[in-house]
Amino acid sequence: MISINNISKSFGNKTIINNLSLTIYEGEITFIVGSSGAGKSTLLNLIGGLDTVSSGEISYNGKNISDNLNEYRAEHVGFVFQEYNLITGMSVKDNIKLGLYYCDKEESIAEIDEQLKNLCVKDVNQTVETLSGGEKQRAAIVRTVCKNSNIILADEPSGNLDSENAENVFELLSGLKNNRHIIIVTHDMEKANKYGDRIITIKDGRIEEDYRSSEKTDFEKEVKSRGKKGRQNWKSVVMLGWNSIKLRKSRILSIALVIALAISSIAMAIHFSQSGNRVSQNVNVNYLESDLIQLFYPQTMNLGYKETPFEEKEVAHIQNTYDLKRIVPIYTEGNGSWFFNHESVIKDAVIKQIIVDDFFEERVMSNEIEGDFIAEEDEIILAEDIAEALFDGNCIGNKISLNDGAGNSIQFKIVGINHTVNAADEIYSFVSSNQIKKLLEKQIDAKIESNISLEKYYTEMVDMKTGFIYGALKETQGTEKILYGKEPEQAEELVVSSELIQYVFEGLGIENNYSKDDILNGAVSKDIITEIESQKLTINCNGLFEVHICGVYQSDEIELRCSKHLLNDLRSLEPTVLEVYAANTGSVTDIIKDIEKNEEYTAASQLESLKNNVGMQTRFFEISIILLGTIMVIISISMLASFSKISVMERKKEIGIIKSLGASDRNVFLTLWFDIAVISVAAMALALWITKIFMIILPDIMGDIAFIEYTYPIKYLLLIGVLFMAVITVYTMVGMKKLVKKMPALLLK
């Protein structure tokens, strides 16, 4: 029995139902009729729990339906709507099964085929949008029949049907009235008079007339609720979710792809930013040279990077002060470029200077070396790429020349080939440090004999408006004819030829109005000579030598002359870099700290340099990927916002239908969230594949840093993915929350 006690329903200032009371009994068909706007459909929605009363109470079997509208709709109410309210994209059978899921009556699923057959619905797997109007209405009635609802509410069930189908629908409803409450809203008085046991006329929200077509004596049966308390049914969520995915698959896939690119890009950006830090000391110490420290003096005003030499006493001090296995003097005089040549072919070289001893034999031969270690100073282990370029690979026993780029060379015998690509994506050619020293001594001799340079000594960084003074440097003979000044008496003194003095004027920025004859005849003023002699000059040749011009002698050659002592100092080659190997790899950091604190020179860890190099080389890719990730995040959020908004608008009616079938707010929320969950899972799966593809192709793109382990950044992918999904869930919940809370009547308008 349905008891309606003094109910009212208002929308704003307008009252639709006005203090109405009514009792409806099972076993009869009750028609509610009246003019448009009288409140018929509103009353039906209130009885069915699709909307709530503004005041008063509706009870079913003595229990207020407002106590749990979801349970009431799920367990006791079946709706037959004018618009059928079947869910697009789903089959007839799935639409009916959905109603059974919400009332926990899945045992009735077996009846669906039989009931549809009885009602002449031929194909149960046909999607509902392809059905005729009559078939749709019959399917809606089967949904109610299989649900075994105590209350069947029909709102204009024949409104969209032809007369034949309308007659069939009323015949069906009439046959279902036993032990049920059947309430029909209609304008069709002919059908009401023909099939109605009771006809209630509504006007202005009140009952104007309540008419029974025959006497009933057993209206007040007590009927116990046959339903169980509804529970969350995941089958309904999955069914509706996959239906939504099917209808919106292209949009969902595009959003998932954009989100996947965002996740993958951000994860890889973090991965690359950590590349330098992933250079592990657990990797072979000989390969990474993680025990190696480079020592060099910082750049000065007159000397460039790694141009200040180490004297013997400094090398001894380092050896005695720090816990080291080996010190290798590294010679880098000149432009630092090395070239191998064989016959007419030239190839850039990457040289690794070593000492020929047991320490380096063990170290070098731990690499992939074909052939033998260096036994004599004039032997070399050649890099594989050089061997391939100059000899087509087979070259052990052959000779090869190493050039300094300035026309000087030294020949080596090839005793081995190095096949190991080092951590900087290079292949070393191993040579004796002493042989490099000999090669650079040739360079210095050639430089002294043909083109030594003088330049001003600078104590601060200034704009160099003056040039250099070039000429051959020779030892004084004591027989020079001095035109101005005096012969060299100190090691730092030198004289210039009368032919070179013209260039001295220009190089020092001195105004020159003298001809060659004026210079030879002693016409240069004493003030100018004094100015030249007062200039502090330098020779940069294996270090910085401070000199000054003390005189001018007569000569047609462009040359300078100095003491034998200065020449010997210039020719005495010293290392400008020391490569020191720590006795204990773990002490490298402490040694560097001590050197930086106590010494004038700089200490750099080979491992740290490698990390920085990797960081610099990956920076472009890191920035590009971060930019891509940022763009993808913005696009994905925009697309997701648009998708959520459109999806919510598109699914209003669907949510109204399932709420009318008894879906709880939680069930509705999960149904709406299913799309987001699928997008999240699809995005994560795509991100994993996209990243995998990137990790396969990146070694080819970034070949110069192939040393990097292109490990799969699963940790970052999962972390970013989870965070992204959490943000998406929170973001979309806001739009869903309002829809979930709305009453079915409002959603179905």
Side-chain angles (χ1 to χ4, degrees):
M1 182 174 67
I2 301 171
S3 297
I4 302 170
N5 300 311
N6 300 318
I7 65 168
S8 295
K9 178 64 178 179
S10 300
F11 294 98
N13 296 324
K14 186 176 182 180
T15 300
I16 306 299
I17 301 296
N18 189 1
N19 199 28
L20 185 148
S21 296
L22 179 66
T23 301
I24 299 174
Y25 302 98
E26 69 177 25
E28 63 180 0
I29 297 180
T30 301
F31 277 83
I32 300 176
V33 299
S35 60
S36 295
K40 305 185 300 297
S41 295
T42 300
L43 178 59
L44 198 70
N45 289 338
L46 294 173
I47 294 172
L50 299 186
D51 208 345
T52 55
V53 298
S54 300
S55 63
E57 180 182 295
I58 300 176
S59 299
Y60 173 67
N61 289 339
K63 186 176 180 181
N64 190 338
I65 67 171
S66 295
D67 291 345
N68 192 330
L69 285 174
N70 290 330
E71 181 181 341
Y72 171 68
R73 290 193 295 259
E75 299 294 334
H76 305 297
V77 181
F79 291 92
V80 181
F81 298 98
Q82 178 180 353
E83 300 295 335
Y84 322 122
N85 284 349
L86 300 171
I87 296 176
T88 302
M90 291 172 58
S91 68
V92 176
K93 189 171 185 177
D94 283 345
N95 265 276
I96 297 168
K97 285 165 66 176
L98 192 62
L100 300 178
Y101 289 150
Y102 291 124
C103 64
D104 197 22
K105 293 178 182 175
E106 295 180 44
E107 67 275 4
S108 299
I109 290 175
E111 303 175 15
I112 295 175
D113 290 351
E114 183 181 352
Q115 293 285 358
L116 286 170
K117 184 178 180 182
N118 292 339
L119 293 179
C120 301
V121 178
K122 297 175 183 178
D123 186 357
V124 298
N125 294 313
Q126 189 174 352
T127 54
V128 295
E129 59 267 27
T130 63
L131 298 176
S132 67
E135 287 176 318
K136 288 179 181 178
Q137 197 62 286
R138 290 198 293 274
I141 292 172
V142 172
R143 181 170 61 187
T144 298
V145 170
C146 290
K147 187 178 176 182
N148 198 22
S149 304
N150 304 81
I151 303 168
I152 297 177
L153 305 176
D155 189 1
E156 297 285 359
S158 61
N160 291 327
L161 303 178
D162 57 38
S163 58
E164 182 181 351
N165 277 312
E167 197 73 35
N168 291 336
V169 167
F170 282 110
E171 287 288 347
L172 287 171
L173 291 172
S174 181
L176 297 172
K177 71 179 181 179
N178 189 36
N179 295 324
R180 289 188 174 91
H181 306 75
I182 297 181
I183 307 170
I184 302 173
V185 167
T186 186
H187 287 95
D188 192 340
M189 288 303 299
E190 180 183 347
K191 296 295 188 297
N193 289 323
K194 182 176 180 179
Y195 294 102
D197 297 303
R198 183 181 183 184
I199 301 173
I200 299 172
T201 303
I202 301 292
K203 183 178 181 181
D204 297 330
R206 296 176 182 271
I207 296 175
E208 183 179 52
E209 184 179 0
D210 188 348
Y211 166 76
R212 293 187 185 280
S213 62
S214 61
E215 291 296 325
K216 306 287 182 182
T217 59
D218 194 24
F219 291 144
E220 299 187 11
K221 292 182 180 178
E222 288 293 329
V223 181
K224 295 182 180 179
S225 173
R226 289 170 287 176
K228 297 182 292 182
K229 184 177 182 181
R231 58 184 170 84
Q232 178 62 47
N233 194 298
W234 287 100
K235 292 181 181 178
S236 65
V237 173
V238 174
M239 180 184 290
L240 288 167
W242 283 121
N243 183 59
S244 176
I245 299 300
K246 181 176 65 176
L247 295 175
R248 302 168 177 84
K249 55 182 177 292
S250 58
R251 272 186 283 166
I252 286 173
L253 182 60
S254 61
I255 293 171
L257 180 60
V258 173
I259 294 174
L261 285 170
I263 293 172
S264 179
S265 301
I266 295 170
M268 285 192 292
I270 297 173
H271 179 71
F272 281 121
S273 70
Q274 298 297 317
S275 293
N277 296 330
R278 283 194 297 273
V279 181
S280 171
Q281 293 187 6
N282 295 324
V283 181
N284 186 306
V285 66
N286 295 343
Y287 175 72
L288 282 184
E289 298 189 291
S290 52
D291 58 346
L292 174 59
I293 304 170
Q294 283 194 337
L295 305 181
F296 50 88
Y297 281 96
Q299 186 174 351
T300 67
M301 301 304 136
N302 291 86
L303 289 174
Y305 183 61
K306 295 183 179 180
E307 287 187 351
T308 303
F310 286 87
E311 298 178 0
E312 286 185 14
K313 62 180 180 180
E314 291 172 310
V315 177
H317 165 74
I318 292 167
Q319 183 70 71
N320 296 330
T321 305
Y322 303 101
D323 186 17
L324 305 173
K325 287 181 184 177
R326 194 67 84 251
I327 296 180
V328 181
I330 304 298
Y331 299 97
T332 59
E333 177 70 23
N335 58 19
S337 298
W338 309 101
F339 305 93
F340 283 118
N341 73 284
H342 176 67
E343 296 178 346
S344 60
V345 183
I346 298 174
K347 185 74 175 175
D348 290 343
V350 179
I351 297 298
K352 176 67 176 178
Q353 299 179 43
I354 63 172
I355 296 173
V356 180
D357 63 5
D358 293 340
F359 171 80
F360 277 102
E361 180 175 8
E362 178 184 352
R363 192 177 188 92
V364 171
M365 298 307 285
S366 69
N367 293 303
E368 188 182 352
I369 303 296
E370 175 188 350
D372 300 322
F373 183 66
I374 298 168
E376 302 294 335
E377 297 282 347
D378 63 349
E379 294 177 344
I380 187 172
I381 296 176
L382 195 63
E384 178 189 42
D385 55 344
I386 303 298
E388 290 291 339
L390 302 186
F391 299 95
D392 292 329
N394 185 19
C395 60
I396 293 177
N398 288 349
K399 299 283 187 179
I400 192 169
S401 293
L402 177 65
N403 297 271
D404 64 356
N408 306 292
S409 66
I410 192 167
Q411 197 170 63
F412 289 94
K413 177 184 177 182
I414 302 169
V415 296
I417 299 175
N418 178 22
H419 297 280
T420 301
V421 179
N422 68 16
D425 198 37
E426 301 168 331
I427 306 178
Y428 283 142
S429 291
F430 295 99
V431 298
S432 166
S433 174
N434 285 334
Q435 289 299 96
I436 299 298
K437 180 179 180 180
K438 289 180 182 179
L439 175 57
L440 293 181
E441 284 174 341
K442 287 185 177 182
Q443 184 186 103
I444 290 174
D445 285 342
K447 186 176 180 180
I448 289 173
E449 291 170 5
S450 63
N451 204 23
I452 203 74
S453 70
L454 292 179
E455 58 185 279
K456 278 191 175 184
Y457 181 88
Y458 294 98
T459 57
E460 60 183 358
M461 199 65 75
V462 296
D463 234 356
M464 291 189 178
K465 295 181 179 178
T466 57
F468 299 133
I469 303 164
Y470 295 96
L473 182 61
K474 298 179 180 179
E475 181 183 348
T476 56
Q477 303 297 314
T479 58
E480 292 83 5
K481 181 181 178 182
I482 302 298
L483 299 176
Y484 305 97
K486 62 174 184 173
E487 292 183 356
E489 296 174 357
Q490 306 294 328
E492 69 276 8
E493 293 178 339
L494 49 79
V495 291
V496 298
S497 68
S498 56
E499 190 70 23
L500 182 61
I501 192 66
Q502 296 275 9
Y503 299 100
V504 173
F505 292 144
E506 181 181 347
L508 298 181
I510 296 173
E511 186 176 347
N512 174 24
N513 296 317
Y514 301 103
S515 66
K516 183 175 181 180
D517 289 338
D518 289 337
I519 294 170
L520 293 176
N521 294 327
V524 179
S525 71
K526 185 176 181 180
D527 290 341
I528 290 178
I529 297 299
T530 300
E531 183 178 353
I532 292 173
E533 291 175 345
S534 66
Q535 295 282 348
K536 192 175 184 180
L537 305 175
T538 63
I539 297 176
N540 183 359
C541 181
N542 186 39
L544 196 66
F545 293 84
E546 297 178 18
V547 297
H548 66 266
I549 297 171
C550 66
V552 180
Y553 67 97
Q554 184 175 337
S555 174
D556 292 334
E557 302 294 329
I558 298 176
E559 62 182 23
L560 310 89
R561 294 191 179 182
C562 64
S563 67
K564 183 177 182 179
H565 180 76
L566 179 58
L567 278 174
N568 289 338
D569 284 346
L570 292 173
R571 288 192 171 102
S572 180
L573 188 62
E574 292 173 327
T576 55
V577 177
L578 298 178
E579 290 190 346
V580 302
Y581 293 83
N584 179 7
T585 304
S587 65
V588 167
T589 301
D590 291 335
I591 292 174
I592 291 175
K593 287 180 180 178
D594 288 343
I595 290 175
E596 294 286 357
K597 179 180 178 180
N598 301 317
E599 313 293 351
E600 295 180 10
Y601 34 83
T602 298
S605 165
Q606 176 75 3
L607 191 61
E608 287 302 317
S609 299
L610 181 60
K611 289 179 182 178
N612 293 335
N613 182 51
V614 170
M616 288 175 62
Q617 295 186 71
T618 58
R619 194 73 61 217
F620 170 77
F621 294 95
E622 183 184 339
I623 292 171
S624 300
I625 292 171
I626 288 174
L627 183 61
L628 174 63
T630 302
I631 294 171
M632 290 299 104
V633 167
I634 294 170
I635 294 175
S636 62
I637 290 174
S638 300
M639 290 180 70
L640 202 59
S642 176
F643 174 80
S644 298
K645 186 175 181 179
I646 294 172
S647 180
V648 164
M649 291 174 63
E650 288 177 342
R651 300 185 73 180
K652 279 179 65 176
K653 184 175 180 180
E654 178 185 323
I655 300 309
I657 293 171
I658 66 174
K659 292 196 81 170
S660 72
L661 293 174
S664 65
D665 287 353
R666 181 170 178 241
N667 192 285
V668 172
F669 175 80
L670 290 173
T671 300
L672 287 172
W673 186 72
F674 190 90
D675 288 359
I676 304 304
V678 169
I679 289 173
S680 301
V681 173
M684 196 68 239
L686 285 170
L688 294 173
W689 278 105
I690 290 169
T691 307
K692 185 69 176 177
I693 292 170
F694 266 113
M695 288 303 168
I696 292 172
I697 64 175
L698 277 178
D700 294 329
I701 298 173
M702 301 167 67
D704 58 331
I705 50 172
F707 121 88
I708 296 177
E709 284 186 59
Y710 288 93
T711 53
Y712 196 56
I714 186 68
K715 178 176 68 174
Y716 299 123
L717 283 170
L718 293 177
L719 178 62
I720 300 300
V722 169
L723 288 174
F724 213 104
M725 294 313 111
V727 170
I728 289 172
T729 299
V730 172
Y731 182 76
T732 53
M733 277 177 63
V734 176
M736 295 177 185
K737 189 175 180 181
K738 292 180 180 179
L739 183 64
V740 168
K741 294 296 183 183
K742 287 183 178 180
M743 293 302 294
L746 184 62
L747 296 169
L748 292 172
K749 275 189 176 180

